Amino acid sequence: MESTVRVRFAPSPTGGLHIGGVRTILFNYLFAKQNNGKFILRIEDTDQTRFVKGAEDYIYSCLDWCGIKADESTRAGGDYGPYRQSERKSIYRQYAEQLVKSGYAYYAFDTSDELECKRQVTENFRYDQNTRQTLRNSLNIPHEAAENLIKEGAPHVIRIKMPKDEQIHFTDMIRGDVSFSSNDVDDKVLLKADGMPTYHLAVVVDDYLMKITHAFRGEEWLPSAPIHILLWRYLGWAADMPQWAHLPLILKPNGNGKLSKRDGEKFGFPVYPINWIDPASRKKADGFLEVGFLPEGFINMLAMLGWNDGTEQEIFSMDDLIAKFSMERIHKGGAKFDYEKAKWYNQEWIKISSAKRLLSPVKDALNNAHIQDFSDNQLLSVIDLVKERCVLLTDFVEQGSFFFKAPDKYDTNSVKPKWNDDKEEFFKAFADELKSGEFLDSASLETNFKDLATKKGLKVGDAMLPFRIMLVGGKFGPQVFDIAHQIGKDETINRINQALEAFEKYK
RNA sequence: GGCCCGUUCGUCUAGGGGUUAGGACGUUAGAUUUUCAUUCUAGAAACAGGGGUUCGAUUCCCCUACGGGCUACCA
């Protein structure tokens, strides 16, 4: 009988979730879906001092935008809840006590201040097998004295007692065999003075209780892996230990360190999936959503940061990724984030997406720019006309707004130098012709326009640019006659007349 | 400082004992498009260094360098 794959992502609600975390979520999710397993979202809010209001909601919003749904979570529920660690507080202590009883952990009464002092005095001070004899803990005072202190309510923590001269090995799914000497690891706190577990205890206990089979996390956790391995062993659960995989980090574009939340502002690109407003400072950080990314492009880009399928394919939908993802093909080295390439993925997704798919996000982008006067059908045609020149969804504002609004200013430099009576006359004639003629399609419009220009002794090229400026306002946009056809006969005539007036002074 | 992990074009990466070291982004040049974008063609651009092992190493091993991570009663 094969046991079900169960993976988890366990963020702490201390702020916005940045793209490194989202990529870890993505890899967890892909692995779970591929194996018909479960993806669990667990909130690790064991540090009450760092709790940030709104952070948990934000995580769900990000997941939602990305199209990822947790099978079990604080919201979805599940058989292994609660899924918020602060609500599990009561279950951790017994395991810590169990470790004390079996001799793998001990009570320590040193206060944070005392230890801070030690660190001031001794460089590289560590609470470990070399120093623990000199400190205030249950290893150095009679057992009963320790028990009494605790009964009296003396503040204390429980620390793991790291063994001497032991090599701790484990096989990482990405890195292969990794080993540490127990002598290099300090006696980490497992249970804090406030009764909350630290991450080290909580991950192990919860992963066990929630029957996690594969534990994926960022590479920054590698150094604490030996603690977790030992805990699994000391708690008697070694046979149930999940397989570990430490994912490579996403690095700053300049390569100096891992990408951090502040880098968005510093380098000028988003690091959050959606806008994050820090509740304390009210400072807003841009999200990929608001900047104009499609979730498809965002996910595609993230997946390719450290993974590829071994072929030359670069564009993957979520379903493609679920089908083709494999842990073996994850890179070991960190990846510097490249915003240019990120935008390219989005551009590709805009190009291959149907107008129907694009309708809602493009509408949002236009509405945000206060352009609302259009029907869905109009917008659908416009999207098809302009999508290949958009990299971000927000580009639809510039590329699309003139379809719904006559230009209020003109790129005069493109018209001014060559504007004269002949041209004015031509456009007047063209407007007249439009008025009385039919307005079939852009091809016949083009023919009419060119014929008339030739008849009036104008070079076609000399008439095209002013026409574009009249309709669009600037030197951009799709085929002029497509634009004219799209905005319709009356509007085309209006814009010609309006421009003719504005150009009067250039003659 | 100590420990751990890593290192192929500027960036993301493929490859792997004998290859013209492949692709993509970006970049350069050109073609197409009577704006721009798209599209197409071509170009420049990489195996960190030193020792082994081997007939042969970019590929395997060791060392060095460099980069990154961790070193809290934070995750």
Side-chain angles (χ1 to χ4, degrees):
Chain A
M1 205 183 80
E2 197 144 301
S3 63
T4 331
V5 164
R6 293 174 58 81
V7 300
R8 99 278 124 139
F9 179 69
S12 66
T14 54
L17 173 72
H18 84 42
I19 55 176
V22 181
R23 193 190 52 168
T24 305
I25 292 176
L26 178 63
F27 285 4
N28 267 290
Y29 179 76
L30 295 176
F31 184 80
K33 291 298 124 186
Q34 183 174 64
N35 293 289
N36 267 312
K38 298 272 189 257
F39 169 59
I40 291 127
L41 183 73
R42 181 172 73 215
I43 304 294
E44 305 221 339
D45 56 346
T46 54
D47 186 351
Q48 292 155 335
T49 64
R50 294 208 311 160
F51 178 81
V52 173
K53 201 161 161 282
E56 191 178 316
D57 286 342
Y58 178 81
I59 290 164
Y60 281 102
S61 303
C62 291
L63 245 42
D64 203 41
W65 181 61
C66 292
I68 292 174
K69 195 176 175 310
D71 297 297
E72 296 172 25
S73 67
T74 54
R75 290 194 183 169
D79 297 336
Y80 300 88
Y83 294 91
R84 194 179 287 113
Q85 288 181 331
S86 57
E87 294 167 18
R88 302 169 67 78
K89 182 174 176 183
S90 61
I91 69 181
Y92 301 106
R93 178 146 206 130
Q94 57 178 301
Y95 295 107
E97 299 280 2
Q98 178 192 327
L99 289 168
V100 174
K101 282 197 185 70
S102 48
Y104 295 123
Y106 57 90
Y107 301 109
F109 302 96
D110 324 79
T111 65
S112 298
D113 287 347
E114 286 167 1
L115 295 176
E116 191 47 46
C117 269
K118 291 273 184 196
R119 279 187 264 270
Q120 299 277 318
V121 178
T122 319
E123 218 179 327
N124 298 327
F125 168 81
R126 289 199 324 178
Y127 209 120
D128 61 14
Q129 50 196 292
N130 299 122
T131 57
R132 63 182 166 230
Q133 305 83 315
T134 69
L135 295 151
R136 298 204 298 135
N137 56 58
S138 61
L139 264 17
N140 303 325
I141 55 178
H143 186 71
E144 276 174 26
E147 298 262 281
N148 281 336
L149 270 173
I150 287 165
K151 274 197 197 105
E152 286 159 18
H156 64 281
V157 302
I158 293 178
R159 286 178 182 272
I160 187 172
K161 187 179 169 193
M162 287 303 290
K164 205 169 162 46
D165 298 331
E166 220 175 278
Q167 274 303 117
I168 302 154
H169 288 265
F170 75 98
T171 304
D172 186 278
M173 291 174 81
I174 295 170
R175 286 149 220 286
D177 189 70
V178 182
S179 81
F180 296 83
S181 163
S182 64
N183 298 342
D184 294 325
V185 186
D186 55 346
D187 290 354
K188 288 281 181 234
V189 170
L190 301 178
L191 198 75
K192 301 188 258 192
D194 64 3
M196 278 294 221
T198 59
Y199 172 81
H200 304 297
L201 213 219
V203 240
V204 173
V205 169
D206 286 345
D207 282 353
Y208 171 73
L209 261 18
M210 296 183 183
K211 295 195 159 52
I212 300 303
T213 57
H214 301 263
F216 306 157
R217 60 200 343 182
E219 194 187 344
E220 72 265 34
W221 289 106
L222 209 40
S224 53
I227 301 160
H228 310 320
I229 308 278
L230 248 28
L231 250 17
W232 276 92
R233 208 181 284 167
Y234 292 163
L235 258 1
W237 305 331
D240 297 316
M241 188 171 77
Q243 278 193 264
W244 298 98
H246 291 88
L247 270 21
L249 266 12
I250 298 178
L251 275 12
K252 298 178 200 290
N254 62 15
N256 295 141
K258 63 173 171 175
L259 193 67
S260 77
K261 297 176 173 182
R262 285 233 159 262
D263 289 334
E265 199 176 24
K266 190 167 160 196
F267 294 102
F269 56 74
V271 293
Y272 293 104
I274 60 185
N275 276 177
W276 166 251
I277 298 163
D278 184 78
S281 64
R282 301 305 303 167
K283 252 189 118 172
K284 192 191 87 178
D286 283 336
F288 279 84
L289 162 62
E290 290 81 358
V291 145
F293 272 74
L294 238 22
E296 291 93 329
F298 177 65
I299 291 292
N300 197 156
M301 173 277 288
L302 276 185
M304 301 312 282
L305 236 39
W307 178 85
N308 70 85
D309 77 339
T311 73
E312 279 166 9
Q313 183 177 347
E314 303 222 51
I315 302 302
F316 294 86
S317 66
M318 187 71 98
D319 286 343
D320 289 337
L321 290 170
I322 291 170
K324 295 185 175 167
F325 182 73
S326 65
M327 293 301 288
E328 301 78 59
R329 295 202 63 87
I330 294 180
H331 231 248
K332 294 183 177 74
K336 295 186 188 106
F337 183 72
D338 180 0
Y339 190 46
E340 291 306 313
K341 184 114 190 206
K343 284 192 289 192
W344 176 79
Y345 282 108
N346 199 59
Q347 183 180 18
E348 291 299 303
W349 271 100
I350 288 178
K351 279 193 302 199
I352 63 176
S353 295
S354 67
K356 209 174 146 218
R357 161 66 187 100
L358 263 11
L359 182 66
S360 163
V362 170
K363 206 192 280 185
D364 289 344
L366 293 178
N367 288 346
N368 286 341
H370 308 293
I371 302 159
Q372 305 163 289
D373 196 13
F374 51 78
S375 69
D376 282 3
N377 277 338
Q378 284 175 306
L379 185 53
L380 249 14
S381 319
V382 169
I383 289 172
D384 275 328
L385 245 22
V386 305
K387 70 177 187 183
E388 70 193 21
R389 59 202 75 214
C390 294
V391 173
L392 297 169
L393 291 164
T394 45
D395 294 338
F396 278 94
V397 173
E398 186 183 51
Q399 294 295 333
S401 53
F402 56 82
F403 284 99
F404 311 115
K405 213 178 90 195
D408 43 22
K409 51 178 177 279
Y410 300 97
D411 177 358
T412 52
N413 289 337
S414 306
V415 183
K416 209 172 176 174
K418 292 173 135 186
W419 191 248
N420 55 33
D421 288 333
D422 288 349
K423 286 197 179 124
E424 187 182 64
E425 200 200 321
F426 163 76
F427 279 104
K428 278 181 174 158
F430 183 60
D432 282 345
E433 201 180 289
L434 284 179
K435 209 172 289 176
S436 53
E438 289 189 78
F439 207 80
L440 290 173
D441 52 48
S442 62
S444 52
L445 265 178
E446 181 171 359
T447 313
N448 294 348
F449 183 92
K450 286 180 176 173
D451 287 351
L452 186 63
T454 314
K455 210 163 81 188
K456 295 275 175 190
L458 273 181
K459 273 194 276 180
V460 174
D462 286 347
M464 294 278 276
L465 188 60
F467 191 33
R468 170 176 296 280
I469 303 297
M470 288 171 165
L471 300 186
V472 176
K475 287 200 286 186
F476 58 91
Q479 299 286 330
V480 215
F481 301 102
D482 285 341
I483 299 170
H485 183 253
Q486 175 64 35
I487 63 179
K489 179 169 163 174
D490 292 346
E491 180 63 12
T492 303
I493 295 169
N494 282 347
R495 290 193 191 183
I496 291 174
N497 289 334
Q498 184 187 314
L500 248 22
E501 245 171 74
F503 293 173
E504 184 68 26
K505 54 180 182 279
Y506 301 144
K507 284 195 292 192

